[in-house]
Amino acid sequence: MLANRDPCTLNVFEKYMAKGIIRLCYRKIIDAASQKLWDKYVFDDTYQEFFMQAQYYNQQGKYSTFQELLDNVPNADRLHHLISSAAIGYIRQLNQLIPDIANQTGKLCLPFSQFNFEIIQSHVQKKPDHRVAISFYSDELTWIDTINTMLLIAYGQQQEALREGKAIATDLISLQPYLSISSYQPIVSHPVL
Amino acid sequence: MERKEFLKRGFGSLLGIATVAPLVGGCSKTEVDPTTTTGTTTSTGSTNGSSSSNCSVTPSETEGPFPTKSPANFVRKDIRDDRTGVAFTVNITIKNASSSCAALSGALVDIWHCDKDGYYSEYGGSGMQSVNLTTVDFLRGRQTTDANGLVSFTSIFPGWYSGRAPHIHVHIYNSSGKSLLVTQIAFPYDITNTVYTTAQSYGYTKGAQDTKNENDNVFSDGFTTELATVAGSLSGGYTLTHTIVVNA
């Protein structure tokens, strides 16, 4: 089908193509210095859960840090998942909007349904050493263009609407620390018939 | 786009605009975390905006609903989630050896066991994979003992997996989370054999267990104090009753 197309028509199609379908990933670090109430709840409750569950992998009390457990006790890496149970109630309270990352008008805007919880470090006696990260993976976004250090995006897969010349709702997201593009899917050109 | 989504994403809905504070300058933050100085105490707020690499727009609105304290996902009586099988009630009484085996109230009791096919809830592998918000964490629960030292769980009759006799894992903590005992509960063979050889219509299709308590590497050193009382039927469900003694 592509072979039959007029080269000029092809250029018109490409002009309105987005750069690709992406997912953004925001890795939120939570530690003893965290200030927001949500962060403090996650910090307190995941530490309490770590304190409790780590005892299963440390029944002789030989180890102090999470790293020591990982290095010496089989299956201690299950603690990531076990401790995430203490955070998921709070993650569900976010109403599927990635925290902290605002659009250019200052509003939280990125929908998510996938996340990953990890213990960065912890200590069975020293709560201030506890540090966790939650990576929030946005739902699919159509990356239309880049303006300075901002991504012009639309929510969901909008390549069809763009091809058809329709106006679509967009948003501007600043690139910033701990915000990354975690997946990219090229948009394959198909002619509009 | 549906209205609900439209509001959620905040494309300047009327409600959204009403909550935005007036801008003082074009690039001013509409809300900053406070830096409070009272007497000699300084509480430092957000460092956002302190450098070009630490410069992102501060959210202008309250971040979703005000967070509320939320217990761990497995603090629950019904631990089945999506698992099916023969109905099973687990009643465990915790007693305290340090007070002549009086009932221990306020103890936290974690239990976990495999499903009818012998599988445990996923542990999330290496911790690198993302999971969905709606992910279930089946057949794991936590309850707090009542005045009689009792906790009760609603579950399904566990299956078996190669090399182990059927069992339930139990971890008991005091009310502040300090570990008191890690143990396992063993099942009477006649009951498990009935379930595994006659409950095909409930999904127990593996047949008889390959390891009896006597040959199990956990229970073989003697399991009389770990052996539960189990009674019931396939159609009516089974009830496990067991007492565990800890030093609290």
Side-chain angles (χ1 to χ4, degrees), chain A:
Chain A
M1 195 177 286
L2 278 173
N4 296 332
R5 289 169 60 196
D6 176 332
C8 295
T9 315
L10 188 63
N11 286 340
V12 170
F13 288 128
E14 287 177 342
K15 184 178 174 185
Y16 295 105
M17 290 288 285
K19 293 180 181 299
I21 304 298
I22 60 171
R23 289 178 193 270
L24 296 177
C25 173
Y26 169 52
R27 186 165 179 262
K28 180 176 175 64
I29 310 286
I30 297 167
D31 60 20
S34 295
Q35 298 289 320
K36 292 176 183 172
L37 188 60
W38 188 92
D39 302 25
K40 287 173 181 288
Y41 282 164
V42 171
F43 178 77
D44 287 345
D45 287 12
T46 59
Y47 182 71
Q48 174 67 14
E49 197 60 42
F50 173 79
F51 170 78
M52 291 175 69
Q53 301 267 0
Q55 295 172 107
Y56 180 80
Y57 297 95
N58 193 25
Q59 292 182 30
Q60 275 76 50
K62 287 164 68 177
Y63 308 112
S64 297
T65 66
F66 178 58
Q67 190 61 48
E68 287 171 353
L69 291 171
L70 287 181
D71 290 346
N72 295 290
V73 183
N75 300 325
D77 62 339
R78 291 175 177 173
L79 284 165
H80 290 292
H81 172 77
L82 290 168
I83 306 317
S84 75
S85 172
I88 194 163
Y90 298 110
I91 294 170
R92 287 176 179 149
Q93 287 181 28
L94 297 173
N95 288 339
Q96 296 181 279
L97 279 179
I98 293 179
D100 303 343
I101 305 299
N103 64 14
Q104 273 308 102
T105 66
K107 291 194 159 216
L108 301 179
C109 57
L110 293 173
F112 80 98
S113 50
Q114 296 285 122
F115 73 95
N116 172 262
F117 177 90
E118 60 186 305
I119 305 166
I120 299 172
Q121 61 175 45
S122 198
H123 191 290
V124 298
Q125 283 111 24
K126 297 179 186 169
K127 186 173 175 179
D129 287 2
H130 185 62
R131 201 156 195 252
V132 301
I134 304 171
S135 295
F136 298 93
Y137 296 87
S138 80
D139 296 342
E140 285 183 329
L141 306 169
T142 303
W143 174 22
I144 301 165
D145 208 344
T146 305
I147 302 172
N148 296 326
T149 58
M150 293 175 290
L151 302 178
L152 177 67
I153 55 106
Y155 297 97
Q157 293 210 12
Q158 299 295 345
Q159 63 269 46
E160 292 300 325
L162 286 171
R163 265 192 219 103
E164 291 165 10
K166 291 180 180 169
I168 55 171
T170 59
D171 226 336
L172 276 174
I173 311 289
S174 283
L175 297 171
Q176 54 198 276
Y178 296 102
L179 182 68
S180 181
I181 296 174
S182 63
S183 80
Y184 172 82
Q185 179 190 348
I187 292 172
V188 180
S189 174
H190 294 295
V192 179
L193 297 175

Side-chain angles (χ1 to χ4, degrees), chain B residues 30-52:
Chain B
T30 53
E31 181 181 297
V32 290
D33 291 331
T35 299
T36 312
T37 305
T38 309
T40 57
T41 307
T42 301
S43 172
T44 306
S46 168
T47 58
N48 185 24
S50 62
S51 68
S52 59

